mmCIF file of all heavy atoms in Angstrom:
data_model
loop_
_atom_site.group_PDB
_atom_site.id
_atom_site.type_symbol
_atom_site.label_atom_id
_atom_site.label_comp_id
_atom_site.label_asym_id
_atom_site.label_seq_id
_atom_site.Cartn_x
_atom_site.Cartn_y
_atom_site.Cartn_z
ATOM 1 N N THR Y 385 18.027 50.745 174.411
ATOM 2 C CA THR Y 385 19.335 51.156 174.830
ATOM 3 C C THR Y 385 19.883 50.023 175.800
ATOM 4 O O THR Y 385 19.176 49.161 176.141
ATOM 5 C CB THR Y 385 19.266 52.457 175.655
ATOM 6 O OG1 THR Y 385 18.245 52.200 176.792
ATOM 7 C CG2 THR Y 385 18.391 53.595 174.863
ATOM 8 N N VAL Y 386 21.196 50.147 176.035
ATOM 9 C CA VAL Y 386 21.798 49.267 176.963
ATOM 10 C C VAL Y 386 21.210 49.189 178.475
ATOM 11 O O VAL Y 386 20.907 48.202 178.970
ATOM 12 C CB VAL Y 386 23.345 49.490 177.160
ATOM 13 C CG1 VAL Y 386 24.062 48.633 178.146
ATOM 14 C CG2 VAL Y 386 23.924 49.368 175.661
ATOM 15 N N ASP Y 387 20.910 50.404 178.901
ATOM 16 C CA ASP Y 387 20.251 50.529 180.125
ATOM 17 C C ASP Y 387 18.913 49.790 180.200
ATOM 18 O O ASP Y 387 18.480 49.200 181.232
ATOM 19 C CB ASP Y 387 20.229 51.984 180.686
ATOM 20 C CG ASP Y 387 21.640 52.551 180.863
ATOM 21 O OD1 ASP Y 387 22.520 51.705 181.316
ATOM 22 O OD2 ASP Y 387 21.800 53.721 180.771
ATOM 23 N N SER Y 388 18.158 50.102 179.120
ATOM 24 C CA SER Y 388 16.801 49.463 179.200
ATOM 25 C C SER Y 388 16.811 48.004 179.223
ATOM 26 O O SER Y 388 16.081 47.309 179.755
ATOM 27 C CB SER Y 388 16.034 49.933 177.999
ATOM 28 O OG SER Y 388 16.645 49.524 176.763
ATOM 29 N N LEU Y 389 17.838 47.482 178.451
ATOM 30 C CA LEU Y 389 18.012 45.976 178.572
ATOM 31 C C LEU Y 389 18.545 45.560 179.924
ATOM 32 O O LEU Y 389 18.087 44.421 180.323
ATOM 33 C CB LEU Y 389 19.048 45.597 177.375
ATOM 34 C CG LEU Y 389 18.456 45.637 175.988
ATOM 35 C CD1 LEU Y 389 19.595 45.201 175.063
ATOM 36 C CD2 LEU Y 389 17.208 44.773 175.805
ATOM 37 N N LEU Y 390 19.337 46.255 180.470
ATOM 38 C CA LEU Y 390 19.906 45.804 181.883
ATOM 39 C C LEU Y 390 18.721 45.898 182.824
ATOM 40 O O LEU Y 390 18.779 45.154 183.913
ATOM 41 C CB LEU Y 390 20.984 46.747 182.241
ATOM 42 C CG LEU Y 390 22.335 46.414 181.547
ATOM 43 C CD1 LEU Y 390 23.364 47.672 181.901
ATOM 44 C CD2 LEU Y 390 22.887 45.186 181.763
ATOM 45 N N ARG Y 391 17.771 46.727 182.629
ATOM 46 C CA ARG Y 391 16.570 46.750 183.603
ATOM 47 C C ARG Y 391 15.468 45.843 183.183
ATOM 48 O O ARG Y 391 14.481 45.823 183.897
ATOM 49 C CB ARG Y 391 15.955 48.188 183.555
ATOM 50 C CG ARG Y 391 16.958 49.261 184.116
ATOM 51 C CD ARG Y 391 16.133 50.477 184.418
ATOM 52 N NE ARG Y 391 15.603 51.123 183.111
ATOM 53 C CZ ARG Y 391 16.190 52.019 182.420
ATOM 54 N NH1 ARG Y 391 17.403 52.421 182.676
ATOM 55 N NH2 ARG Y 391 15.697 52.494 181.305
ATOM 56 N N HIS Y 392 15.665 45.058 182.118
ATOM 57 C CA HIS Y 392 14.608 44.163 181.612
ATOM 58 C C HIS Y 392 14.559 42.998 182.601
ATOM 59 O O HIS Y 392 15.457 42.574 183.305
ATOM 60 C CB HIS Y 392 14.946 43.602 180.206
ATOM 61 C CG HIS Y 392 13.862 42.826 179.609
ATOM 62 N ND1 HIS Y 392 13.614 41.534 179.872
ATOM 63 C CD2 HIS Y 392 12.960 43.288 178.636
ATOM 64 C CE1 HIS Y 392 12.624 41.167 179.151
ATOM 65 N NE2 HIS Y 392 12.153 42.129 178.369
ATOM 66 N N PRO Y 393 13.308 42.405 182.899
ATOM 67 C CA PRO Y 393 13.080 41.380 183.835
ATOM 68 C C PRO Y 393 14.002 40.096 183.520
ATOM 69 O O PRO Y 393 14.424 39.415 184.539
ATOM 70 C CB PRO Y 393 11.692 40.982 183.742
ATOM 71 C CG PRO Y 393 11.033 42.334 183.175
ATOM 72 C CD PRO Y 393 11.987 42.914 182.419
ATOM 73 N N PHE Y 394 14.345 39.947 182.330
ATOM 74 C CA PHE Y 394 15.172 38.775 182.007
ATOM 75 C C PHE Y 394 16.554 38.862 182.619
ATOM 76 O O PHE Y 394 17.138 37.842 182.965
ATOM 77 C CB PHE Y 394 15.290 38.617 180.422
ATOM 78 C CG PHE Y 394 16.083 37.384 179.974
ATOM 79 C CD1 PHE Y 394 15.574 36.015 180.235
ATOM 80 C CD2 PHE Y 394 17.282 37.459 179.482
ATOM 81 C CE1 PHE Y 394 16.208 34.916 179.936
ATOM 82 C CE2 PHE Y 394 17.968 36.277 178.955
ATOM 83 C CZ PHE Y 394 17.530 35.105 179.296
ATOM 84 N N PHE Y 395 17.118 40.065 182.652
ATOM 85 C CA PHE Y 395 18.489 40.430 183.258
ATOM 86 C C PHE Y 395 18.527 40.810 184.548
ATOM 87 O O PHE Y 395 19.619 40.932 185.157
ATOM 88 C CB PHE Y 395 19.255 41.231 182.380
ATOM 89 C CG PHE Y 395 19.462 40.857 180.805
ATOM 90 C CD1 PHE Y 395 18.876 41.421 179.801
ATOM 91 C CD2 PHE Y 395 20.208 39.685 180.629
ATOM 92 C CE1 PHE Y 395 19.126 41.008 178.612
ATOM 93 C CE2 PHE Y 395 20.418 39.258 179.417
ATOM 94 C CZ PHE Y 395 19.833 39.973 178.311
ATOM 95 N N CYS Y 396 17.294 41.077 185.198
ATOM 96 C CA CYS Y 396 17.294 41.608 186.466
ATOM 97 C C CYS Y 396 17.645 40.632 187.594
ATOM 98 O O CYS Y 396 18.217 40.903 188.625
ATOM 99 C CB CYS Y 396 15.884 42.164 186.934
ATOM 100 S SG CYS Y 396 15.541 43.772 186.147
ATOM 101 N N GLN Y 397 17.389 39.293 187.308
ATOM 102 C CA GLN Y 397 17.840 38.249 188.303
ATOM 103 C C GLN Y 397 19.293 37.863 188.182
ATOM 104 O O GLN Y 397 19.731 37.145 189.020
ATOM 105 C CB GLN Y 397 16.891 37.089 187.914
ATOM 106 C CG GLN Y 397 15.467 37.289 188.221
ATOM 107 C CD GLN Y 397 15.014 37.776 189.627
ATOM 108 O OE1 GLN Y 397 15.756 37.215 190.543
ATOM 109 N NE2 GLN Y 397 14.092 38.613 189.699
ATOM 110 N N ALA Y 398 19.949 38.278 186.963
ATOM 111 C CA ALA Y 398 21.383 37.800 186.923
ATOM 112 C C ALA Y 398 22.296 38.446 187.945
ATOM 113 O O ALA Y 398 23.140 37.728 188.487
ATOM 114 C CB ALA Y 398 21.946 38.277 185.520
ATOM 115 N N PRO Y 399 22.186 39.627 188.393
ATOM 116 C CA PRO Y 399 23.053 40.189 189.327
ATOM 117 C C PRO Y 399 22.922 39.457 190.681
ATOM 118 O O PRO Y 399 23.933 39.624 191.545
ATOM 119 C CB PRO Y 399 22.659 41.623 189.552
ATOM 120 C CG PRO Y 399 22.102 42.068 188.258
ATOM 121 C CD PRO Y 399 21.276 40.829 187.834
ATOM 122 N N LEU Y 400 21.812 38.857 191.019
ATOM 123 C CA LEU Y 400 21.664 38.010 192.254
ATOM 124 C C LEU Y 400 22.678 36.841 192.273
ATOM 125 O O LEU Y 400 22.972 36.440 193.348
ATOM 126 C CB LEU Y 400 20.247 37.592 192.375
ATOM 127 C CG LEU Y 400 19.248 38.703 192.367
ATOM 128 C CD1 LEU Y 400 17.811 38.042 192.505
ATOM 129 C CD2 LEU Y 400 19.524 39.689 193.487
ATOM 130 N N ASN Y 401 23.215 36.497 191.175
ATOM 131 C CA ASN Y 401 24.223 35.408 191.189
ATOM 132 C C ASN Y 401 25.618 36.095 191.510
ATOM 133 O O ASN Y 401 25.991 36.848 190.697
ATOM 134 C CB ASN Y 401 24.186 34.752 189.764
ATOM 135 C CG ASN Y 401 25.117 33.511 189.804
ATOM 136 O OD1 ASN Y 401 26.043 33.306 190.646
ATOM 137 N ND2 ASN Y 401 24.860 32.611 188.699
ATOM 138 N N GLY Y 402 26.214 35.456 192.473
ATOM 139 C CA GLY Y 402 27.441 36.147 192.908
ATOM 140 C C GLY Y 402 28.535 36.062 191.842
ATOM 141 O O GLY Y 402 29.523 36.841 191.735
ATOM 142 N N LEU Y 403 28.494 35.038 190.916
ATOM 143 C CA LEU Y 403 29.578 34.873 189.775
ATOM 144 C C LEU Y 403 29.315 36.090 188.814
ATOM 145 O O LEU Y 403 30.267 36.336 187.989
ATOM 146 C CB LEU Y 403 29.409 33.602 189.149
ATOM 147 C CG LEU Y 403 29.658 32.352 190.022
ATOM 148 C CD1 LEU Y 403 29.428 31.054 189.315
ATOM 149 C CD2 LEU Y 403 31.176 32.330 190.588
ATOM 150 N N THR Y 404 28.086 36.653 188.666
ATOM 151 C CA THR Y 404 27.906 37.765 187.683
ATOM 152 C C THR Y 404 28.624 39.005 188.134
ATOM 153 O O THR Y 404 28.979 39.720 187.259
ATOM 154 C CB THR Y 404 26.453 37.811 187.466
ATOM 155 O OG1 THR Y 404 25.866 36.605 187.119
ATOM 156 C CG2 THR Y 404 26.145 38.946 186.397
ATOM 157 N N VAL Y 405 28.605 39.275 189.327
ATOM 158 C CA VAL Y 405 29.157 40.621 189.925
ATOM 159 C C VAL Y 405 30.609 40.602 190.030
ATOM 160 O O VAL Y 405 31.138 39.630 190.478
ATOM 161 C CB VAL Y 405 28.384 40.989 191.243
ATOM 162 C CG1 VAL Y 405 28.956 42.324 191.694
ATOM 163 C CG2 VAL Y 405 26.841 40.910 191.138
ATOM 164 N N ALA Y 406 31.294 41.507 189.391
ATOM 165 C CA ALA Y 406 32.792 41.529 189.540
ATOM 166 C C ALA Y 406 33.200 41.872 190.915
ATOM 167 O O ALA Y 406 32.603 42.510 191.566
ATOM 168 C CB ALA Y 406 33.210 42.660 188.523
ATOM 169 N N PRO Y 407 34.214 41.276 191.189
ATOM 170 C CA PRO Y 407 34.897 41.610 192.604
ATOM 171 C C PRO Y 407 35.248 43.042 192.759
ATOM 172 O O PRO Y 407 35.609 43.733 191.696
ATOM 173 C CB PRO Y 407 36.153 40.691 192.635
ATOM 174 C CG PRO Y 407 35.901 39.649 191.544
ATOM 175 C CD PRO Y 407 35.059 40.221 190.521
ATOM 176 N N ARG Y 408 35.172 43.620 193.920
ATOM 177 C CA ARG Y 408 35.309 45.064 194.138
ATOM 178 C C ARG Y 408 36.731 45.494 193.796
ATOM 179 O O ARG Y 408 37.040 46.666 193.637
ATOM 180 C CB ARG Y 408 34.849 45.320 195.529
ATOM 181 C CG ARG Y 408 33.282 45.308 195.715
ATOM 182 C CD ARG Y 408 32.863 45.713 197.059
ATOM 183 N NE ARG Y 408 31.452 45.602 197.225
ATOM 184 C CZ ARG Y 408 30.731 45.892 198.375
ATOM 185 N NH1 ARG Y 408 31.418 46.337 199.510
ATOM 186 N NH2 ARG Y 408 29.428 45.672 198.561
ATOM 187 N N ASP Y 409 37.652 44.424 194.173
ATOM 188 C CA ASP Y 409 39.104 44.834 194.174
ATOM 189 C C ASP Y 409 39.504 44.767 192.759
ATOM 190 O O ASP Y 409 40.698 45.090 192.434
ATOM 191 C CB ASP Y 409 39.872 44.006 194.961
ATOM 192 C CG ASP Y 409 39.755 42.386 194.687
ATOM 193 O OD1 ASP Y 409 38.762 42.174 193.932
ATOM 194 O OD2 ASP Y 409 40.493 41.553 195.169
ATOM 195 N N GLU Y 410 38.777 44.401 191.754
ATOM 196 C CA GLU Y 410 39.244 44.186 190.314
ATOM 197 C C GLU Y 410 39.078 45.581 189.685
ATOM 198 O O GLU Y 410 37.986 46.319 189.713
ATOM 199 C CB GLU Y 410 38.340 43.178 189.543
ATOM 200 C CG GLU Y 410 38.953 42.953 188.230
ATOM 201 C CD GLU Y 410 38.381 41.618 187.623
ATOM 202 O OE1 GLU Y 410 37.469 40.908 188.490
ATOM 203 O OE2 GLU Y 410 38.688 41.297 186.473
ATOM 204 N N LYS Y 411 40.109 46.096 189.143
ATOM 205 C CA LYS Y 411 40.256 47.429 188.395
ATOM 206 C C LYS Y 411 39.435 47.473 187.193
ATOM 207 O O LYS Y 411 39.430 46.404 186.367
ATOM 208 C CB LYS Y 411 41.682 47.795 188.302
ATOM 209 C CG LYS Y 411 42.509 47.997 189.475
ATOM 210 C CD LYS Y 411 43.920 48.421 189.212
ATOM 211 C CE LYS Y 411 44.769 48.514 190.389
ATOM 212 N NZ LYS Y 411 46.075 48.961 190.108
ATOM 213 N N ILE Y 412 38.909 48.585 186.972
ATOM 214 C CA ILE Y 412 38.077 48.877 185.683
ATOM 215 C C ILE Y 412 38.741 50.062 185.087
ATOM 216 O O ILE Y 412 38.686 51.221 185.768
ATOM 217 C CB ILE Y 412 36.546 49.131 185.792
ATOM 218 C CG1 ILE Y 412 36.057 47.801 186.269
ATOM 219 C CG2 ILE Y 412 35.912 49.525 184.481
ATOM 220 C CD1 ILE Y 412 34.451 47.853 186.706
ATOM 221 N N HIS Y 413 39.399 49.903 183.971
ATOM 222 C CA HIS Y 413 40.274 51.094 183.554
ATOM 223 C C HIS Y 413 40.329 51.107 181.919
ATOM 224 O O HIS Y 413 40.426 50.060 181.313
ATOM 225 C CB HIS Y 413 41.752 51.079 184.004
ATOM 226 C CG HIS Y 413 42.590 52.049 183.526
ATOM 227 N ND1 HIS Y 413 42.623 53.416 183.892
ATOM 228 C CD2 HIS Y 413 43.468 52.071 182.461
ATOM 229 C CE1 HIS Y 413 43.499 54.029 183.150
ATOM 230 N NE2 HIS Y 413 44.185 53.221 182.286
ATOM 231 N N LEU Y 414 40.013 52.353 181.322
ATOM 232 C CA LEU Y 414 40.345 52.542 179.893
ATOM 233 C C LEU Y 414 40.343 54.142 179.815
ATOM 234 O O LEU Y 414 39.275 54.793 179.987
ATOM 235 C CB LEU Y 414 39.156 51.948 179.012
ATOM 236 C CG LEU Y 414 39.374 52.274 177.510
ATOM 237 C CD1 LEU Y 414 40.698 51.830 177.042
ATOM 238 C CD2 LEU Y 414 38.352 51.778 176.745
ATOM 239 N N LYS Y 415 41.463 54.589 179.361
ATOM 240 C CA LYS Y 415 41.487 56.152 179.339
ATOM 241 C C LYS Y 415 42.087 56.477 177.994
ATOM 242 O O LYS Y 415 43.129 55.931 177.536
ATOM 243 C CB LYS Y 415 42.365 56.631 180.408
ATOM 244 C CG LYS Y 415 42.312 58.184 180.406
ATOM 245 C CD LYS Y 415 43.237 58.643 181.657
ATOM 246 C CE LYS Y 415 43.213 60.155 181.834
ATOM 247 N NZ LYS Y 415 43.989 60.687 182.849
ATOM 248 N N PHE Y 416 41.418 57.417 177.294
ATOM 249 C CA PHE Y 416 41.946 57.905 175.914
ATOM 250 C C PHE Y 416 42.211 59.431 176.177
ATOM 251 O O PHE Y 416 41.570 60.146 176.890
ATOM 252 C CB PHE Y 416 40.846 57.777 174.767
ATOM 253 C CG PHE Y 416 40.609 56.429 174.406
ATOM 254 C CD1 PHE Y 416 39.300 55.910 174.594
ATOM 255 C CD2 PHE Y 416 41.573 55.540 173.810
ATOM 256 C CE1 PHE Y 416 39.084 54.561 174.184
ATOM 257 C CE2 PHE Y 416 41.320 54.279 173.574
ATOM 258 C CZ PHE Y 416 40.000 53.741 173.714
ATOM 259 N N PRO Y 417 43.251 59.870 175.522
ATOM 260 C CA PRO Y 417 43.641 61.328 175.650
ATOM 261 C C PRO Y 417 42.466 62.072 174.921
ATOM 262 O O PRO Y 417 41.676 61.624 174.078
ATOM 263 C CB PRO Y 417 44.868 61.490 174.779
ATOM 264 C CG PRO Y 417 45.586 60.110 174.903
ATOM 265 C CD PRO Y 417 44.389 59.080 174.897
ATOM 266 N N ILE Y 418 42.365 63.295 175.395
ATOM 267 C CA ILE Y 418 41.172 64.094 174.858
ATOM 268 C C ILE Y 418 41.284 64.443 173.273
ATOM 269 O O ILE Y 418 40.244 64.268 172.675
ATOM 270 C CB ILE Y 418 41.249 65.571 175.534
ATOM 271 C CG1 ILE Y 418 41.136 65.412 177.032
ATOM 272 C CG2 ILE Y 418 40.234 66.465 174.948
ATOM 273 C CD1 ILE Y 418 41.171 66.779 177.750
ATOM 274 N N GLN Y 419 42.514 64.615 172.716
ATOM 275 C CA GLN Y 419 42.551 64.706 171.234
ATOM 276 C C GLN Y 419 42.146 63.387 170.613
ATOM 277 O O GLN Y 419 41.468 63.395 169.574
ATOM 278 C CB GLN Y 419 44.001 65.135 170.943
ATOM 279 C CG GLN Y 419 44.131 65.225 169.425
ATOM 280 C CD GLN Y 419 45.567 65.808 169.128
ATOM 281 O OE1 GLN Y 419 46.384 65.995 170.055
ATOM 282 N NE2 GLN Y 419 45.896 65.991 167.776
ATOM 283 N N LEU Y 420 42.637 62.212 171.130
ATOM 284 C CA LEU Y 420 42.117 61.009 170.546
ATOM 285 C C LEU Y 420 40.704 60.687 170.620
ATOM 286 O O LEU Y 420 40.094 60.179 169.655
ATOM 287 C CB LEU Y 420 42.880 59.854 171.180
ATOM 288 C CG LEU Y 420 42.654 58.573 170.698
ATOM 289 C CD1 LEU Y 420 43.160 58.341 169.199
ATOM 290 C CD2 LEU Y 420 43.408 57.424 171.519
ATOM 291 N N LYS Y 421 39.976 61.243 171.649
ATOM 292 C CA LYS Y 421 38.614 61.059 171.744
ATOM 293 C C LYS Y 421 37.891 61.749 170.602
ATOM 294 O O LYS Y 421 36.887 61.372 170.140
ATOM 295 C CB LYS Y 421 38.086 61.670 173.208
ATOM 296 C CG LYS Y 421 38.378 60.824 174.351
ATOM 297 C CD LYS Y 421 37.939 61.460 175.619
ATOM 298 C CE LYS Y 421 38.161 60.671 176.810
ATOM 299 N NZ LYS Y 421 37.671 61.164 178.023
ATOM 300 N N GLU Y 422 38.414 62.929 170.200
ATOM 301 C CA GLU Y 422 37.730 63.701 169.158
ATOM 302 C C GLU Y 422 38.025 62.943 167.973
ATOM 303 O O GLU Y 422 37.151 62.916 167.139
ATOM 304 C CB GLU Y 422 38.476 65.078 169.140
ATOM 305 C CG GLU Y 422 38.120 65.954 170.331
ATOM 306 C CD GLU Y 422 36.641 66.246 170.553
ATOM 307 O OE1 GLU Y 422 35.879 66.434 169.480
ATOM 308 O OE2 GLU Y 422 36.173 66.268 171.638
ATOM 309 N N GLU Y 423 39.180 62.380 167.831
ATOM 310 C CA GLU Y 423 39.468 61.616 166.508
ATOM 311 C C GLU Y 423 38.556 60.372 166.436
ATOM 312 O O GLU Y 423 38.109 59.983 165.386
ATOM 313 C CB GLU Y 423 40.953 61.176 166.391
ATOM 314 C CG GLU Y 423 41.905 62.411 166.364
ATOM 315 C CD GLU Y 423 41.759 63.119 164.960
ATOM 316 O OE1 GLU Y 423 41.331 62.449 164.068
ATOM 317 O OE2 GLU Y 423 41.970 64.323 164.955
ATOM 318 N N LEU Y 424 38.312 59.698 167.560
ATOM 319 C CA LEU Y 424 37.405 58.546 167.514
ATOM 320 C C LEU Y 424 36.144 59.018 167.241
ATOM 321 O O LEU Y 424 35.346 58.268 166.504
ATOM 322 C CB LEU Y 424 37.401 57.936 168.979
ATOM 323 C CG LEU Y 424 38.673 57.180 169.404
ATOM 324 C CD1 LEU Y 424 38.702 56.596 170.830
ATOM 325 C CD2 LEU Y 424 38.908 56.071 168.420
ATOM 326 N N LYS Y 425 35.572 60.065 167.701
ATOM 327 C CA LYS Y 425 34.270 60.685 167.374
ATOM 328 C C LYS Y 425 34.099 60.898 165.801
ATOM 329 O O LYS Y 425 33.141 60.441 165.135
ATOM 330 C CB LYS Y 425 33.978 62.001 168.129
ATOM 331 C CG LYS Y 425 33.635 61.836 169.524
ATOM 332 C CD LYS Y 425 33.287 63.077 170.102
ATOM 333 C CE LYS Y 425 33.167 63.033 171.567
ATOM 334 N NZ LYS Y 425 32.793 64.349 172.407
ATOM 335 N N ALA Y 426 35.227 61.431 165.154
ATOM 336 C CA ALA Y 426 35.222 61.669 163.767
ATOM 337 C C ALA Y 426 35.239 60.291 163.009
ATOM 338 O O ALA Y 426 34.623 60.222 161.887
ATOM 339 C CB ALA Y 426 36.374 62.477 163.367
ATOM 340 N N ALA Y 427 35.854 59.346 163.545
ATOM 341 C CA ALA Y 427 35.959 58.044 162.959
ATOM 342 C C ALA Y 427 34.633 57.429 163.067
ATOM 343 O O ALA Y 427 34.124 56.779 162.049
ATOM 344 C CB ALA Y 427 37.040 57.124 163.560
#
Side-chain angles (χ1 to χ4, degrees):
T385 62
V386 177
D387 290 332
S388 64
L389 287 178
L390 288 172
R391 292 192 300 266
H392 193 278
F394 183 69
F395 296 112
C396 283
Q397 299 298 325
L400 300 179
N401 187 345
L403 295 175
T404 303
V405 181
R408 294 182 178 180
D409 57 347
E410 190 163 355
K411 295 181 179 180
I412 297 179
H413 174 76
L414 175 60
K415 186 176 181 180
F416 293 118
I418 297 177
Q419 184 177 358
L420 181 59
K421 288 182 179 180
E422 298 298 324
E423 295 296 331
L424 287 174
K425 288 182 182 179

